[in-house]
Amino acid sequence: VMAVSPALLLMDRNLLARKQNARLDKQNDLGWKLFGKVPLGDNAQRDSKKLQKEYEDKAGRPSKPPSPKQNVRKNLDFEPLSTTALILEDRPANLPAKPAEEAQKHRQQYEEMVVQAKKRELKEAQRRKKQLEERCRLEESIGNAVLTWNNEILPNWETMWCSRKVRDLWWQGIPPSVRGKVWSLAIGNELNITHELFDICLARAKERWRSFSTGGSEAETEDAGFSAADREASLELIKLDISRTFPSLCIFQQGGPYHDMLHSVLGAYTCYRPDVGYVQGMSFIAAVLILNLDTADAFIAFSNLLNKPCQMAFFRVDHGLMLTYFAAFEVFFEENLPKLFAHFKKNNLTPDIYLIDWIFTLYSKSLPLDLACRVWDVFCRDGEEFLFRTALGLLRLFQDVLTRMDFIHVAQFLTRLPEDLPAEEFFASIASIQMQSRNKKWAQVLTALQKDSREMEKGSPSLRH
Amino acid sequence: MNPRKKVDLKLIIIGALGVGKTSLLHQYVHKTFYEDYQTTLGASILSKIIILDDTTLKLQIWDTGGQERFRSMVSTFYKGSDGCVLAFDVTDLESFEALETWRGDVLAKTIPMEQSYPMVVLGNKIDLADRQVPQEVAQGWCKEKDIPYFEVSAKNDINVVQAFEMLASRALSRLSGRVQSLLNSNVSLYFLSVLTRRGGYSLGGSAGAGS
């Protein structure tokens, strides 16, 4: 059974409701079942009541008047579960009777057990009540946040987005129903991509799929520099990768409700940026965008997002620049977590082992989806440095266990993060990471390192390779 | 009696994308096969302990992303490896043709030694019908390069263990040969300790360099 947090549940309900309205009747109800919950608790309780009744009937004591204790129990608004197994039986008649003293002792023990069990259950009921209240509070605060975002912030985006109040609200997580809008606005559209341009790119992509599937690729080999084989490989790759994108959600795979959208965004991108083409990891980014935006808007956000310096460095696999990013990361790593940093150095745990996956997919593959979306929220607010701050937040959160692990266990731990990552602790941990090293900010550290590596290249070209 | 020797080996598995590197590895390490692995980016490392002859081998196997464009990026992970699985998909001719480049990449990153760098070639997905690479062709290429060849299926668990054990055994004998030749040539104990620390090689107490 997949554990789904309320936030994700909410996100997907909103999302599915919205998408379904738009594309009515096509994918009847698909997806609802995925996130639906069976109210297990109720059943279990009813069953146990029934069982107890049956047991009491069989035990042949229906004539006994209900004891005052049972009356009390009926008045409670929960039914003790564990006491159902605790029924004091009279000794079978074929055995010699217990001495009165012993019988008394056993009755007393029995009563103590019942009292204990009830205490436990009362506690459990209180816990559940608290959880429910927590959930209501959360839903209420999300409701309030939606109003604030819709009525106050979004209409005045330009003037408000960098205000203290909005930044604080932003950090709490953007409500799923406005998330797509906020992401779009924050990512911007420096490339001035229109819906028409998306349609043109998509039409070209579709033309290519058709021509490759019919085998008639001869006709259009005029695209300079990119051979038909390259393009075909890229298309094949997209197909393969889509099948390997969030496979457990079963919505992007062939036949799933979002398969075509994902295919369209990625295909259109290879036509829009043939110089970049399709690179593994892109399918995860496009998928997360599609979960929050309509196809054309997802494409616009996708293209602009990939056009940011950090993403360009990684998706063009500019190895030198990637190493510079890792080096900058290590500066802040050492500054924030010196003990763990030393441990990593000693064990040859280089950042590429864990950062490549995290940065390429913007954490969407390694974190639970609802947490990944919250990381994206702040990434849209703060830019690339937040990706590295998140990494340090993760390392800080687990630093005690990590310091006790050897190379292989750390590597395995970081490439397969725990699925039940505690959201609030995680964000508190990120918040306590200082992105300041000797009065230098992330961008300054990065620029300085870039300059260093360029000078080294110039100074001794033989050092490269 | 004779305490068992313990050796750490670093192995890597490389090859074009989609040939089933992750599946092969999971079949070998966990004895499981899933249809739906997620794309591997960067590196993912699995470990397995096996006993070969009289030695306990702690294998550390590095799985890497296979897109052509990632070749330079993942090649930093080859450093210090003791052996390599070259994987291709028998239903995908291009993945077979790419072996040459992958092999070149690995050899460029490893230190030449008296004994050659251990490799095995795995032709995966023999359970599928639309085969594009005939067995003789793959066999021929491997023979030419003096690399053992295995026809395997991660899905049906055919030949997977044999292939990995062959590689482990070759990597072990290369490492032992290296330690032995250092001992014979009376190299200072310092170098030996450097080597043993790196490879995690232990001579079962005789050289006092346990890991």
Side-chain angles (χ1 to χ4, degrees), chain A residues 237 240-241 244 246-247 276 278-280 284 315 317 319 322 352 356 360-361 365 407-408 411-412 415-416, chain B residues 17-18 36-47 58 60 62 65-67 69-70 72-73 76-77:
Chain A
L237 183 47
L240 174 75
D241 254 12
R244 306 198 293 187
F246 299 125
V276 180
Y278 177 75
V279 183
Q280 291 194 301
F284 285 89
F315 281 105
V317 199
H319 203 192
M322 284 168 69
D352 50 356
I356 286 178
F360 264 102
T361 63
K365 193 177 145 220
F407 171 85
I408 183 83
Q412 289 183 342
T415 45
R416 269 172 292 257
Chain B
L17 62 102
D36 55 355
Y37 283 107
Q38 302 206 58
T39 305
T40 309
L41 287 150
S44 144
I45 311 168
L46 295 185
S47 56
K58 207 171 148 196
Q60 184 188 96
W62 292 53
Q67 189 171 6
R69 194 144 353 157
F70 293 156
S72 75
M73 182 178 88
T76 55
F77 297 132

Side-chain angles (χ1 to χ4, degrees), chain A residues 45-109:
Chain A
Q45 216 155 325
R46 235 181 333 250
D47 281 356
S48 76
K49 256 189 229 169
K50 210 171 82 194
L51 277 177
Q52 182 172 9
K53 178 83 177 36
E54 278 169 10
Y55 185 83
E56 277 172 357
D57 287 350
K58 250 189 253 163
R61 302 182 302 176
S63 54
K64 232 182 178 177
S67 75
K69 219 176 287 143
Q70 267 169 312
N71 278 337
V72 171
R73 209 160 70 190
K74 290 245 165 65
N75 290 336
L76 290 173
D77 56 354
F78 66 93
E79 187 70 17
L81 300 176
S82 50
T83 41
T84 49
L86 294 175
I87 289 158
L88 188 64
E89 284 257 37
D90 290 329
R91 207 169 173 84
N94 58 346
L95 293 174
K98 284 184 203 174
E101 201 182 307
E102 198 179 329
Q104 173 66 29
K105 195 175 120 203
H106 284 168
R107 201 165 302 122
Q108 208 177 336
Q109 280 173 342

Side-chain angles (χ1 to χ4, degrees), chain A residues 238 242 261-270 278 282-283 286 302:
Chain A
I238 290 174
I242 285 178
M261 288 185 232
L262 185 53
H263 207 203
S264 299
V265 169
L266 295 174
Y269 186 76
T270 59
Y278 177 75
M282 284 183 181
S283 66
F302 181 76

Side-chain angles (χ1 to χ4, degrees), chain A residues 25 27 46 96 194 213 269 282 296 306 377 397 400 411 434 436:
Chain A
D25 67 44
Q27 300 286 351
R46 235 181 333 250
T194 58
S213 63
Y269 186 76
M282 284 183 181
L306 294 196
D377 289 344
L397 183 63
D400 290 341
Q434 295 302 316
Q436 191 109 264

Side-chain angles (χ1 to χ4, degrees), chain A residues 186-378:
Chain A
I187 292 168
N189 189 3
E190 233 182 14
L191 298 168
N192 283 319
I193 299 173
T194 58
H195 284 208
E196 289 68 43
L197 182 59
F198 168 66
D199 290 338
I200 293 168
C201 292
L202 180 59
R204 289 196 67 183
K206 283 187 169 161
E207 214 171 281
R208 281 184 187 167
W209 295 333
R210 256 196 308 276
S211 79
F212 281 122
S213 63
T214 53
S217 57
E218 282 310 315
E220 47 153 348
T221 41
E222 80 277 12
D223 276 70
F226 305 101
S227 73
D230 271 357
R231 275 181 282 132
E232 187 175 29
S234 200
L235 294 176
E236 280 294 308
L237 183 47
I238 290 174
K239 221 166 82 189
L240 174 75
D241 254 12
I242 285 178
S243 72
R244 306 198 293 187
T245 305
F246 299 125
S248 58
L249 292 183
C250 303
I251 50 180
F252 294 107
Q253 284 61 41
Q254 186 94 50
Y258 296 158
H259 171 268
D260 292 350
M261 288 185 232
L262 185 53
H263 207 203
S264 299
V265 169
L266 295 174
Y269 186 76
T270 59
C271 290
Y272 174 64
R273 288 300 294 266
D275 58 323
V276 180
Y278 177 75
V279 183
Q280 291 194 301
M282 284 183 181
S283 66
F284 285 89
I285 295 182
V288 174
L289 288 170
I290 284 167
L291 286 173
N292 290 283
L293 288 161
D294 292 325
T295 316
D297 290 326
F299 175 75
I300 294 170
F302 181 76
S303 308
N304 280 285
L305 187 61
L306 294 196
N307 202 44
K308 307 219 175 266
C310 176
Q311 276 58 47
M312 261 299 138
F314 277 75
F315 281 105
R316 295 191 111 151
V317 199
D318 180 341
H319 203 192
L321 194 47
M322 284 168 69
L323 291 176
T324 309
Y325 272 101
F326 295 152
F329 166 77
E330 286 197 297
V331 169
F332 291 92
F333 187 177
E334 186 170 19
E335 187 88 21
N336 280 278
L337 309 161
K339 234 179 88 190
L340 189 64
F341 180 76
H343 179 69
F344 273 39
K345 277 280 169 205
K346 203 180 90 199
N347 285 281
N348 275 326
L349 278 152
T350 49
D352 50 356
I353 293 171
Y354 48 94
L355 278 188
I356 286 178
D357 183 87
W358 292 353
I359 303 296
F360 264 102
T361 63
L362 304 177
Y363 295 93
S364 57
K365 193 177 145 220
S366 31
L367 288 180
L369 201 49
D370 55 334
L371 279 189
C373 285
R374 279 194 62 185
V375 169
W376 280 48
D377 289 344
V378 191

Side-chain angles (χ1 to χ4, degrees), chain A residues 313-314 318-331 388 442 445-454 457 464:
Chain A
F314 277 75
D318 180 341
H319 203 192
L321 194 47
M322 284 168 69
L323 291 176
T324 309
Y325 272 101
F326 295 152
F329 166 77
E330 286 197 297
V331 169
F388 297 92
W442 168 263
V445 170
L446 190 73
T447 316
L449 285 167
Q450 252 174 299
K451 220 176 107 202
D452 285 355
S453 79
R454 260 199 302 271
E457 227 172 301
R464 305 268 301 159

